[in-house]
Amino acid sequence: MHPPTLDWTTAARDDAEARVAALAARLGPAFLHATRDGRYVAHDADEWTSGFWPGLLLLAYRRTGDRALLAAAEAAEAELERAVLDDRLYLLHHDVGFQFG
């Protein structure tokens, strides 16, 4: 059983999930690092934040059941795996935990 939530937390969660869904519809299985002029721009899988977007997609999928979010997360994770296997991520360093966490 989940504890009761405050109205503002529910609204914030719902807003975050809506924003993730809108970004996923626009950018899909991209890798988002930071905004430029207030908009996210897709990056290659080699940023230290590469795992953050697939993680957000999976979290949103778990709450909403939106299969499009799951498909985008799985595609992004597959690209991260390819980046390791084809040596694009040639330096395995402390940021790999962020990329795959």
Coordinates of all heavy atoms in Angstrom, one line a residue:
M1 N 0.8 -1.2 0.0 CA 0.0 0.0 0.0 C 0.9 1.2 0.0 O 1.8 1.3 0.8 CB -0.9 0.0 1.2 CG -1.7 1.2 1.4 SD -2.9 1.1 2.7 CE -4.4 0.8 1.7
H2 N 0.6 2.2 -0.9 CA 1.3 3.4 -0.9 C 0.8 4.5 0.0 O -0.4 4.5 0.2 CB 1.3 4.0 -2.4 CG 1.9 3.1 -3.4 ND1 3.3 3.0 -3.4 CD2 1.4 2.3 -4.3 CE1 3.6 2.2 -4.4 NE2 2.5 1.8 -5.0
P3 N 1.7 5.2 0.7 CA 1.2 6.3 1.5 C 0.5 7.4 0.7 O 0.7 7.5 -0.5 CB 2.4 6.8 2.2 CG 3.5 6.5 1.3 CD 3.1 5.2 0.6
P4 N -0.5 8.1 1.3 CA -1.1 9.1 0.6 C -0.1 10.2 0.2 O 0.9 10.5 0.8 CB -2.1 9.7 1.6 CG -1.7 9.3 2.9 CD -0.9 8.0 2.7
T5 N -0.4 10.8 -1.0 CA 0.5 11.9 -1.5 C -0.2 13.2 -1.4 O -1.4 13.3 -1.3 CB 0.9 11.6 -3.0 OG1 -0.3 11.6 -3.7 CG2 1.6 10.3 -3.2
L6 N 0.6 14.2 -1.3 CA 0.1 15.6 -1.3 C -0.3 16.0 -2.8 O 0.3 15.4 -3.7 CB 1.2 16.5 -0.8 CG 1.7 16.2 0.6 CD1 2.9 17.2 0.9 CD2 0.6 16.4 1.6
D7 N -1.2 16.8 -2.9 CA -1.7 17.2 -4.2 C -0.6 17.7 -5.1 O -0.5 17.4 -6.3 CB -2.8 18.3 -4.1 CG -4.1 17.7 -3.6 OD1 -4.3 16.5 -3.7 OD2 -4.9 18.5 -3.1
W8 N 0.3 18.5 -4.5 CA 1.4 19.1 -5.4 C 2.4 18.0 -5.9 O 2.9 18.1 -7.0 CB 2.2 20.2 -4.7 CG 3.0 19.7 -3.5 CD1 2.7 19.7 -2.2 CD2 4.4 19.3 -3.6 NE1 3.8 19.2 -1.5 CE2 4.8 19.0 -2.3 CE3 5.3 19.2 -4.7 CZ2 6.1 18.5 -2.1 CZ3 6.6 18.7 -4.4 CH2 7.0 18.4 -3.1
T9 N 2.6 17.0 -5.1 CA 3.5 15.9 -5.6 C 2.8 15.1 -6.7 O 3.5 14.7 -7.7 CB 3.9 14.9 -4.4 OG1 2.7 14.3 -3.9 CG2 4.6 15.7 -3.3
T10 N 1.6 14.9 -6.6 CA 0.9 14.2 -7.7 C 0.9 15.0 -9.0 O 1.2 14.5 -10.1 CB -0.6 13.9 -7.3 OG1 -0.6 13.1 -6.2 CG2 -1.3 13.2 -8.4
A11 N 0.6 16.3 -8.8 CA 0.7 17.2 -10.0 C 2.1 17.3 -10.6 O 2.2 17.3 -11.8 CB 0.2 18.6 -9.6
A12 N 3.1 17.4 -9.8 CA 4.5 17.4 -10.2 C 4.8 16.1 -11.0 O 5.5 16.2 -12.0 CB 5.5 17.7 -9.1
R13 N 4.5 15.0 -10.4 CA 4.7 13.7 -11.1 C 4.0 13.6 -12.4 O 4.6 13.2 -13.4 CB 4.3 12.6 -10.1 CG 4.6 11.2 -10.7 CD 3.9 10.1 -10.1 NE 2.5 10.3 -10.3 CZ 1.5 10.0 -9.4 NH1 1.8 9.6 -8.2 NH2 0.2 10.3 -9.7
D14 N 2.8 14.0 -12.4 CA 2.0 13.9 -13.7 C 2.6 14.8 -14.7 O 2.7 14.5 -15.9 CB 0.5 14.3 -13.4 CG -0.2 13.2 -12.6 OD1 0.3 12.1 -12.4 OD2 -1.3 13.6 -12.1
D15 N 3.0 16.0 -14.3 CA 3.7 17.0 -15.2 C 5.0 16.4 -15.8 O 5.2 16.5 -17.0 CB 3.9 18.3 -14.5 CG 4.5 19.3 -15.5 OD1 3.9 19.6 -16.5 OD2 5.6 19.8 -15.2
A16 N 5.8 15.8 -14.9 CA 7.0 15.2 -15.3 C 6.8 14.1 -16.3 O 7.5 14.0 -17.4 CB 7.8 14.7 -14.1
E17 N 5.8 13.2 -16.0 CA 5.5 12.1 -16.9 C 5.0 12.6 -18.3 O 5.4 12.1 -19.3 CB 4.5 11.2 -16.3 CG 5.1 10.4 -15.2 CD 4.0 9.6 -14.4 OE1 2.8 9.8 -14.6 OE2 4.4 8.8 -13.5
A18 N 4.2 13.7 -18.3 CA 3.8 14.3 -19.5 C 4.9 14.9 -20.3 O 5.0 14.7 -21.6 CB 2.7 15.4 -19.3
R19 N 5.9 15.5 -19.6 CA 7.0 16.1 -20.3 C 7.9 15.0 -20.9 O 8.4 15.1 -22.0 CB 7.8 16.9 -19.4 CG 7.1 18.2 -19.1 CD 7.9 19.0 -18.0 NE 7.1 20.1 -17.5 CZ 7.5 21.4 -17.8 NH1 8.6 21.7 -18.5 NH2 6.7 22.4 -17.4
V20 N 8.1 13.9 -20.2 CA 8.9 12.8 -20.7 C 8.2 12.2 -21.9 O 8.8 11.9 -23.0 CB 9.1 11.7 -19.6 CG1 9.6 10.4 -20.2 CG2 10.0 12.2 -18.5
A21 N 6.9 12.0 -21.9 CA 6.1 11.5 -23.0 C 6.3 12.4 -24.2 O 6.5 11.9 -25.4 CB 4.7 11.2 -22.7
A22 N 6.2 13.7 -24.0 CA 6.3 14.6 -25.1 C 7.7 14.6 -25.7 O 7.9 14.6 -27.0 CB 5.9 16.0 -24.7
L23 N 8.7 14.6 -24.9 CA 10.1 14.5 -25.4 C 10.3 13.2 -26.1 O 11.0 13.1 -27.2 CB 11.1 14.6 -24.2 CG 11.5 16.0 -23.8 CD1 12.4 15.9 -22.5 CD2 12.3 16.7 -24.9
A24 N 9.8 12.1 -25.6 CA 9.9 10.8 -26.3 C 9.3 10.8 -27.6 O 9.8 10.3 -28.6 CB 9.3 9.7 -25.4
A25 N 8.1 11.5 -27.7 CA 7.4 11.6 -29.0 C 8.3 12.4 -30.0 O 8.3 12.1 -31.2 CB 6.1 12.2 -28.8
R26 N 9.0 13.4 -29.5 CA 9.8 14.2 -30.4 C 11.1 13.6 -30.7 O 11.6 13.7 -31.8 CB 9.9 15.6 -29.8 CG 10.7 16.6 -30.7 CD 10.6 18.0 -30.2 NE 11.2 18.3 -28.9 CZ 12.5 18.7 -28.8 NH1 13.3 18.8 -29.9 NH2 13.0 18.9 -27.7
L27 N 11.8 13.1 -29.7 CA 13.2 12.6 -29.9 C 13.4 11.1 -29.8 O 14.4 10.6 -30.2 CB 14.1 13.3 -28.8 CG 14.2 14.8 -28.9 CD1 14.9 15.4 -27.7 CD2 14.8 15.2 -30.2
G28 N 12.4 10.4 -29.3 CA 12.5 8.9 -29.2 C 13.7 8.4 -28.4 O 14.1 9.0 -27.4
P29 N 14.4 7.4 -28.9 CA 15.5 6.8 -28.2 C 16.8 7.6 -28.4 O 17.9 7.0 -28.7 CB 15.6 5.4 -28.8 CG 15.2 5.6 -30.2 CD 14.1 6.7 -30.1
A30 N 16.8 8.9 -28.2 CA 18.0 9.7 -28.3 C 18.7 9.7 -26.9 O 18.3 9.1 -26.0 CB 17.5 11.2 -28.6
F31 N 19.8 10.5 -26.9 CA 20.5 10.7 -25.6 C 20.5 12.2 -25.3 O 21.1 12.9 -26.1 CB 21.9 10.1 -25.7 CG 21.9 8.6 -26.0 CD1 22.0 8.1 -27.3 CD2 21.7 7.7 -24.9 CE1 21.9 6.7 -27.5 CE2 21.6 6.4 -25.2 CZ 21.7 5.9 -26.5
L32 N 19.9 12.5 -24.2 CA 19.7 13.9 -23.9 C 20.8 14.3 -22.8 O 20.9 13.6 -21.9 CB 18.3 14.2 -23.4 CG 17.2 13.7 -24.3 CD1 15.9 14.0 -23.7 CD2 17.4 14.2 -25.7
H33 N 21.5 15.4 -23.0 CA 22.5 15.8 -22.1 C 22.1 17.1 -21.4 O 22.0 17.1 -20.1 CB 23.8 16.0 -22.8 CG 24.9 16.4 -21.9 ND1 25.5 15.7 -20.9 CD2 25.6 17.6 -21.9 CE1 26.4 16.3 -20.3 NE2 26.5 17.5 -20.9
A34 N 21.8 18.1 -22.1 CA 21.4 19.4 -21.5 C 20.6 20.2 -22.5 O 20.7 19.9 -23.7 CB 22.7 20.2 -21.1
T35 N 19.9 21.2 -22.1 CA 19.1 22.0 -23.0 C 20.0 23.0 -23.7 O 21.0 23.5 -23.1 CB 18.0 22.6 -22.3 OG1 18.4 23.5 -21.3 CG2 17.0 21.6 -21.8
R36 N 19.6 23.4 -24.9 CA 20.2 24.5 -25.6 C 19.1 25.4 -26.0 O 18.2 25.0 -26.7 CB 21.0 24.0 -26.8 CG 21.8 25.0 -27.5 CD 22.6 24.5 -28.7 NE 23.5 23.4 -28.2 CZ 23.8 22.3 -29.0 NH1 23.2 22.2 -30.1 NH2 24.6 21.4 -28.5
D37 N 19.2 26.6 -25.5 CA 18.1 27.6 -25.7 C 16.7 27.0 -25.2 O 15.7 27.2 -25.9 CB 18.0 28.0 -27.1 CG 19.3 28.7 -27.6 OD1 19.8 29.5 -26.8 OD2 19.7 28.6 -28.8
G38 N 16.8 26.3 -24.1 CA 15.5 25.8 -23.5 C 15.0 24.5 -24.2 O 13.9 24.0 -23.8
R39 N 15.7 23.9 -25.1 CA 15.2 22.7 -25.8 C 16.3 21.6 -25.8 O 17.5 21.9 -25.9 CB 14.9 23.0 -27.3 CG 13.7 23.9 -27.4 CD 13.3 24.1 -28.9 NE 13.0 22.9 -29.6 CZ 11.8 22.3 -29.7 NH1 10.8 22.7 -29.0 NH2 11.6 21.2 -30.4
Y40 N 15.9 20.4 -25.6 CA 16.9 19.3 -25.6 C 17.3 19.0 -27.0 O 16.5 19.1 -27.9 CB 16.3 18.0 -25.0 CG 16.3 18.0 -23.5 CD1 15.2 18.3 -22.7 CD2 17.5 17.8 -22.8 CE1 15.3 18.3 -21.3 CE2 17.6 17.8 -21.4 CZ 16.5 18.0 -20.7 OH 16.5 18.1 -19.3
V41 N 18.6 18.7 -27.2 CA 19.1 18.3 -28.4 C 19.7 16.9 -28.3 O 20.4 16.6 -27.3 CB 20.2 19.3 -28.9 CG1 20.9 18.8 -30.2 CG2 19.7 20.7 -29.0
A42 N 19.5 16.0 -29.2 CA 20.0 14.7 -29.1 C 21.5 14.7 -29.2 O 22.1 15.4 -30.0 CB 19.4 13.8 -30.2
H43 N 22.1 13.8 -28.4 CA 23.6 13.6 -28.5 C 23.9 12.2 -28.8 O 23.0 11.3 -28.7 CB 24.2 14.0 -27.1 CG 24.2 15.4 -26.8 ND1 25.3 16.2 -27.1 CD2 23.3 16.2 -26.2 CE1 25.0 17.5 -26.8 NE2 23.8 17.5 -26.2
D44 N 25.2 11.9 -29.0 CA 25.6 10.5 -29.2 C 25.6 9.8 -27.8 O 25.5 10.5 -26.8 CB 27.0 10.5 -29.8 CG 27.1 11.0 -31.2 OD1 26.1 10.9 -31.9 OD2 28.1 11.5 -31.6
A45 N 25.8 8.5 -27.9 CA 25.7 7.7 -26.6 C 26.9 7.9 -25.8 O 27.0 7.2 -24.7 CB 25.5 6.3 -27.0
D46 N 27.9 8.7 -26.1 CA 29.1 8.8 -25.3 C 29.1 9.9 -24.2 O 30.2 10.1 -23.6 CB 30.3 8.9 -26.2 CG 30.3 10.1 -27.1 OD1 29.3 10.9 -27.0 OD2 31.2 10.3 -27.9
E47 N 28.1 10.6 -24.0 CA 28.0 11.6 -22.9 C 27.9 10.8 -21.6 O 27.4 9.7 -21.5 CB 26.8 12.5 -23.1 CG 26.9 13.4 -24.2 CD 27.9 14.6 -24.0 OE1 28.2 14.8 -22.9 OE2 28.2 15.2 -25.0
W48 N 28.4 11.5 -20.5 CA 28.4 10.8 -19.2 C 26.9 10.7 -18.7 O 26.7 9.9 -17.8 CB 29.2 11.5 -18.2 CG 28.8 12.9 -17.8 CD1 29.1 14.1 -18.5 CD2 28.0 13.2 -16.7 NE1 28.5 15.1 -17.8 CE2 27.8 14.6 -16.7 CE3 27.4 12.5 -15.7 CZ2 27.0 15.3 -15.8 CZ3 26.6 13.2 -14.7 CH2 26.5 14.6 -14.8
T49 N 26.0 11.4 -19.3 CA 24.6 11.3 -18.9 C 23.8 10.4 -19.8 O 22.6 10.4 -19.7 CB 24.0 12.7 -19.0 OG1 24.2 13.3 -20.3 CG2 24.6 13.7 -17.9
S50 N 24.4 9.6 -20.6 CA 23.7 8.8 -21.6 C 22.7 7.9 -21.1 O 21.7 7.6 -21.7 CB 24.7 8.0 -22.4 OG 25.6 8.8 -23.2
G51 N 22.8 7.4 -19.9 CA 21.9 6.5 -19.3 C 20.7 7.2 -18.6 O 19.7 6.5 -18.3
F52 N 20.8 8.5 -18.4 CA 19.7 9.2 -17.7 C 18.4 9.1 -18.5 O 17.3 8.9 -17.9 CB 20.1 10.6 -17.4 CG 21.2 10.8 -16.5 CD1 21.9 9.7 -15.9 CD2 21.6 12.1 -16.1 CE1 22.9 9.9 -15.0 CE2 22.6 12.3 -15.2 CZ 23.3 11.2 -14.6
W53 N 18.4 9.5 -19.8 CA 17.2 9.5 -20.6 C 16.5 8.1 -20.7 O 15.3 8.0 -20.4 CB 17.4 10.1 -21.9 CG 16.2 10.1 -22.8 CD1 16.1 9.6 -24.0 CD2 15.0 10.8 -22.6 NE1 14.8 9.8 -24.6 CE2 14.1 10.6 -23.7 CE3 14.5 11.5 -21.5 CZ2 12.8 11.1 -23.7 CZ3 13.2 12.0 -21.6 CH2 12.4 11.8 -22.7
P54 N 17.3 7.0 -21.0 CA 16.6 5.7 -21.0 C 16.0 5.4 -19.6 O 15.0 4.8 -19.5 CB 17.7 4.8 -21.4 CG 18.7 5.6 -22.1 CD 18.6 7.0 -21.5
G55 N 16.7 5.8 -18.5 CA 16.2 5.6 -17.2 C 14.9 6.3 -17.0 O 13.9 5.7 -16.4
L56 N 14.8 7.6 -17.4 CA 13.5 8.3 -17.2 C 12.4 7.7 -18.1 O 11.3 7.6 -17.6 CB 13.7 9.8 -17.7 CG 14.4 10.7 -16.7 CD1 14.7 12.0 -17.3 CD2 13.6 10.8 -15.4
L57 N 12.8 7.2 -19.3 CA 11.8 6.5 -20.1 C 11.2 5.3 -19.4 O 10.0 5.0 -19.4 CB 12.4 6.1 -21.4 CG 12.7 7.3 -22.4 CD1 13.6 6.8 -23.5 CD2 11.4 8.0 -22.9
L58 N 12.1 4.5 -18.8 CA 11.7 3.3 -18.1 C 10.8 3.6 -16.8 O 9.8 3.0 -16.6 CB 12.9 2.5 -17.7 CG 13.6 1.7 -18.8 CD1 14.9 1.1 -18.3 CD2 12.6 0.6 -19.3
L59 N 11.2 4.6 -16.1 CA 10.4 5.0 -14.9 C 9.0 5.5 -15.4 O 8.0 5.1 -14.7 CB 11.2 6.2 -14.2 CG 12.4 5.7 -13.4 CD1 13.1 7.0 -12.8 CD2 12.0 4.8 -12.2
A60 N 9.0 6.3 -16.4 CA 7.7 6.8 -16.9 C 6.8 5.6 -17.4 O 5.6 5.5 -17.1 CB 7.8 7.8 -18.0
Y61 N 7.5 4.7 -18.1 CA 6.8 3.5 -18.6 C 6.2 2.7 -17.4 O 5.0 2.2 -17.5 CB 7.7 2.6 -19.4 CG 7.1 1.2 -19.6 CD1 6.0 1.0 -20.4 CD2 7.7 0.1 -18.9 CE1 5.5 -0.3 -20.5 CE2 7.1 -1.1 -19.0 CZ 6.0 -1.4 -19.8 OH 5.5 -2.6 -19.9
R62 N 7.0 2.5 -16.4 CA 6.5 1.7 -15.2 C 5.2 2.3 -14.6 O 4.4 1.6 -14.1 CB 7.6 1.6 -14.2 CG 8.7 0.6 -14.6 CD 9.7 0.4 -13.5 NE 9.2 -0.1 -12.3 CZ 9.8 -0.1 -11.1 NH1 11.0 0.3 -11.0 NH2 9.2 -0.6 -10.1
R63 N 5.1 3.6 -14.6 CA 4.0 4.3 -14.0 C 2.8 4.3 -15.0 O 1.7 4.2 -14.6 CB 4.3 5.7 -13.6 CG 5.2 5.7 -12.4 CD 5.0 6.8 -11.4 NE 3.7 7.4 -11.4 CZ 2.7 7.0 -10.6 NH1 2.9 6.0 -9.8 NH2 1.6 7.6 -10.7
T64 N 3.1 4.6 -16.3 CA 2.0 4.8 -17.2 C 1.6 3.6 -18.0 O 0.5 3.5 -18.5 CB 2.4 5.9 -18.2 OG1 3.5 5.4 -19.0 CG2 2.8 7.2 -17.5
G65 N 2.5 2.6 -18.2 CA 2.3 1.5 -19.1 C 2.3 1.8 -20.6 O 1.9 1.0 -21.4
D66 N 2.8 3.0 -20.9 CA 2.9 3.5 -22.3 C 4.0 2.7 -23.0 O 5.2 2.9 -22.8 CB 3.2 5.0 -22.3 CG 3.2 5.5 -23.7 OD1 3.3 4.8 -24.7 OD2 3.1 6.8 -23.9
R67 N 3.6 1.8 -23.9 CA 4.6 0.9 -24.5 C 5.6 1.7 -25.4 O 6.7 1.2 -25.7 CB 3.9 -0.2 -25.4 CG 2.9 -1.0 -24.6 CD 3.3 -2.3 -24.0 NE 4.1 -3.1 -24.7 CZ 5.0 -4.0 -24.2 NH1 5.1 -4.0 -22.9 NH2 5.7 -4.7 -24.9
A68 N 5.2 2.8 -25.9 CA 6.1 3.6 -26.7 C 7.3 4.1 -25.9 O 8.4 4.2 -26.4 CB 5.4 4.9 -27.3
L69 N 7.1 4.4 -24.6 CA 8.2 4.7 -23.7 C 9.1 3.6 -23.5 O 10.3 3.7 -23.5 CB 7.6 5.2 -22.4 CG 6.8 6.5 -22.4 CD1 6.2 6.8 -21.1 CD2 7.6 7.7 -22.9
L70 N 8.5 2.4 -23.3 CA 9.4 1.2 -23.2 C 10.2 0.9 -24.4 O 11.4 0.6 -24.4 CB 8.5 0.0 -22.9 CG 9.2 -1.4 -22.7 CD1 10.2 -1.4 -21.6 CD2 8.2 -2.5 -22.6
A71 N 9.6 1.0 -25.6 CA 10.3 0.8 -26.9 C 11.4 1.8 -27.0 O 12.5 1.4 -27.4 CB 9.3 0.9 -28.0
A72 N 11.2 3.0 -26.7 CA 12.3 4.0 -26.8 C 13.4 3.7 -25.8 O 14.6 3.8 -26.2 CB 11.7 5.4 -26.6
A73 N 13.1 3.3 -24.6 CA 14.1 3.0 -23.6 C 14.9 1.8 -24.1 O 16.1 1.8 -24.0 CB 13.4 2.7 -22.3
E74 N 14.2 0.8 -24.6 CA 15.0 -0.4 -25.0 C 15.9 -0.1 -26.2 O 17.0 -0.6 -26.3 CB 14.0 -1.5 -25.4 CG 13.3 -2.1 -24.2 CD 12.2 -3.1 -24.5 OE1 11.6 -3.1 -25.6 OE2 11.9 -4.0 -23.6
A75 N 15.4 0.7 -27.1 CA 16.2 1.1 -28.3 C 17.5 1.9 -27.8 O 18.6 1.7 -28.3 CB 15.4 1.9 -29.3
A76 N 17.3 2.8 -26.9 CA 18.4 3.6 -26.4 C 19.4 2.7 -25.6 O 20.6 2.8 -25.8 CB 17.9 4.7 -25.4
E77 N 18.9 1.7 -24.9 CA 19.8 0.8 -24.2 C 20.6 0.0 -25.1 O 21.8 -0.3 -24.9 CB 19.0 0.0 -23.2 CG 18.6 0.7 -22.0 CD 17.7 -0.1 -21.0 OE1 17.4 -1.2 -21.3 OE2 17.4 0.4 -19.9
A78 N 19.9 -0.5 -26.2 CA 20.6 -1.3 -27.2 C 21.7 -0.4 -27.9 O 22.8 -1.0 -28.2 CB 19.6 -1.7 -28.3
E79 N 21.5 0.9 -28.1 CA 22.5 1.7 -28.7 C 23.7 1.9 -27.7 O 24.8 1.9 -28.1 CB 21.9 3.1 -29.1 CG 22.9 4.1 -29.6 CD 23.6 3.6 -30.9 OE1 23.1 2.6 -31.6 OE2 24.7 4.1 -31.2
L80 N 23.4 2.0 -26.4 CA 24.5 2.1 -25.4 C 25.3 0.8 -25.5 O 26.6 0.9 -25.4 CB 23.9 2.3 -24.0 CG 23.5 3.7 -23.6 CD1 22.8 3.7 -22.3 CD2 24.7 4.6 -23.6
E81 N 24.7 -0.3 -25.6 CA 25.4 -1.6 -25.7 C 26.3 -1.6 -27.0 O 27.4 -2.0 -26.9 CB 24.5 -2.8 -25.7 CG 25.2 -4.1 -25.7 CD 24.2 -5.3 -25.6 OE1 23.0 -5.1 -25.7 OE2 24.7 -6.4 -25.5
R82 N 25.7 -1.2 -28.1 CA 26.5 -1.1 -29.3 C 27.7 -0.2 -29.2 O 28.8 -0.5 -29.7 CB 25.6 -0.7 -30.5 CG 24.8 -1.8 -31.1 CD 24.1 -1.4 -32.4 NE 23.1 -0.3 -32.2 CZ 21.9 -0.5 -31.8 NH1 21.4 -1.7 -31.5 NH2 21.0 0.5 -31.7
A83 N 27.5 0.9 -28.5 CA 28.6 1.9 -28.3 C 29.8 1.3 -27.6 O 30.9 1.6 -27.9 CB 28.1 3.1 -27.6
V84 N 29.5 0.4 -26.6 CA 30.5 -0.3 -25.9 C 31.2 -1.3 -26.8 O 32.4 -1.4 -26.9 CB 30.0 -0.9 -24.6 CG1 31.0 -1.9 -24.0 CG2 29.6 0.2 -23.6
L85 N 30.4 -2.1 -27.5 CA 30.9 -3.2 -28.3 C 31.7 -2.8 -29.5 O 32.6 -3.4 -29.9 CB 29.8 -4.1 -28.7 CG 29.1 -4.9 -27.5 CD1 27.9 -5.7 -28.1 CD2 30.0 -5.7 -26.8
D86 N 31.3 -1.6 -30.1 CA 32.1 -1.2 -31.2 C 33.1 -0.1 -30.9 O 33.6 0.6 -31.8 CB 31.2 -0.7 -32.4 CG 30.4 0.6 -32.0 OD1 30.8 1.3 -31.1 OD2 29.5 0.9 -32.8
D87 N 33.5 0.0 -29.6 CA 34.6 0.8 -29.1 C 34.3 2.3 -29.2 O 35.3 3.1 -29.1 CB 35.9 0.5 -29.8 CG 36.4 -0.9 -29.4 OD1 36.1 -1.3 -28.3 OD2 37.1 -1.5 -30.2
R88 N 33.1 2.8 -29.4 CA 32.9 4.2 -29.3 C 33.1 4.7 -27.9 O 33.5 5.8 -27.7 CB 31.4 4.6 -29.7 CG 31.3 4.7 -31.2 CD 29.9 5.0 -31.6 NE 29.1 3.8 -31.6 CZ 27.8 3.8 -31.4 NH1 27.1 4.9 -31.3 NH2 27.1 2.7 -31.4
L89 N 32.8 3.9 -26.9 CA 33.1 4.2 -25.5 C 34.4 3.5 -25.2 O 34.5 2.6 -24.4 CB 32.0 3.7 -24.6 CG 30.7 4.4 -24.8 CD1 29.6 3.8 -23.8 CD2 30.7 5.9 -24.6
Y90 N 35.5 4.0 -25.8 CA 36.8 3.4 -25.6 C 37.4 3.6 -24.3 O 38.4 2.9 -23.9 CB 37.7 3.8 -26.7 CG 37.9 5.3 -26.8 CD1 38.8 6.0 -26.1 CD2 37.0 6.0 -27.7 CE1 38.9 7.4 -26.2 CE2 37.1 7.4 -27.8 CZ 38.1 8.1 -27.0 OH 38.2 9.4 -27.1
L91 N 37.0 4.6 -23.5 CA 37.5 4.8 -22.2 C 36.5 4.4 -21.2 O 35.5 5.1 -20.9 CB 37.9 6.3 -22.0 CG 39.0 6.8 -22.9 CD1 39.1 8.3 -22.6 CD2 40.3 6.1 -22.5
L92 N 36.6 3.2 -20.6 CA 35.7 2.8 -19.5 C 36.2 3.5 -18.2 O 37.3 3.1 -17.7 CB 35.7 1.3 -19.4 CG 35.1 0.6 -20.6 CD1 35.2 -0.9 -20.4 CD2 33.7 1.0 -20.9
H93 N 35.5 4.4 -17.7 CA 35.9 5.2 -16.6 C 34.7 5.3 -15.6 O 33.7 4.7 -15.8 CB 36.4 6.6 -17.0 CG 35.5 7.2 -18.0 ND1 34.3 7.8 -17.7 CD2 35.7 7.4 -19.4 CE1 33.7 8.2 -18.8 NE2 34.6 8.0 -19.8
H94 N 34.9 6.2 -14.6 CA 33.9 6.2 -13.6 C 32.5 6.7 -14.1 O 31.5 6.4 -13.5 CB 34.3 7.2 -12.5 CG 34.4 8.6 -12.9 ND1 35.5 9.1 -13.6 CD2 33.5 9.6 -12.7 CE1 35.2 10.4 -13.9 NE2 34.1 10.7 -13.3
D95 N 32.4 7.3 -15.2 CA 31.1 7.7 -15.8 C 30.3 6.6 -16.4 O 29.1 6.8 -16.7 CB 31.3 8.8 -16.8 CG 31.8 10.2 -16.2 OD1 31.5 10.3 -15.0 OD2 32.3 11.0 -16.9
V96 N 30.9 5.5 -16.6 CA 30.2 4.3 -17.2 C 29.0 3.9 -16.3 O 28.0 3.5 -16.8 CB 31.1 3.1 -17.5 CG1 30.4 1.9 -17.8 CG2 32.1 3.5 -18.6
G97 N 29.2 4.1 -15.0 CA 28.1 3.8 -14.1 C 26.9 4.7 -14.3 O 25.7 4.3 -14.3
F98 N 27.1 6.0 -14.7 CA 26.0 6.9 -15.0 C 25.4 6.4 -16.4 O 24.2 6.5 -16.5 CB 26.5 8.3 -15.2 CG 26.8 9.0 -13.9 CD1 28.1 9.4 -13.7 CD2 25.9 9.1 -12.9 CE1 28.4 10.1 -12.5 CE2 26.2 9.7 -11.7 CZ 27.5 10.2 -11.5
Q99 N 26.2 6.0 -17.3 CA 25.7 5.7 -18.6 C 24.8 4.4 -18.5 O 23.9 4.3 -19.3 CB 26.9 5.4 -19.6 CG 27.6 6.8 -19.9 CD 28.9 6.6 -20.5 OE1 29.7 5.7 -20.1 NE2 29.2 7.4 -21.5
F100 N 25.1 3.5 -17.7 CA 24.4 2.3 -17.6 C 23.5 2.1 -16.4 O 22.8 1.2 -16.2 CB 25.3 1.1 -17.7 CG 25.8 0.9 -19.1 CD1 27.0 1.5 -19.4 CD2 25.1 0.3 -20.1 CE1 27.5 1.4 -20.7 CE2 25.6 0.2 -21.4 CZ 26.8 0.7 -21.7
G101 N 23.6 3.1 -15.4 CA 22.8 3.0 -14.2 C 21.4 3.3 -14.5 O 20.5 2.9 -13.9

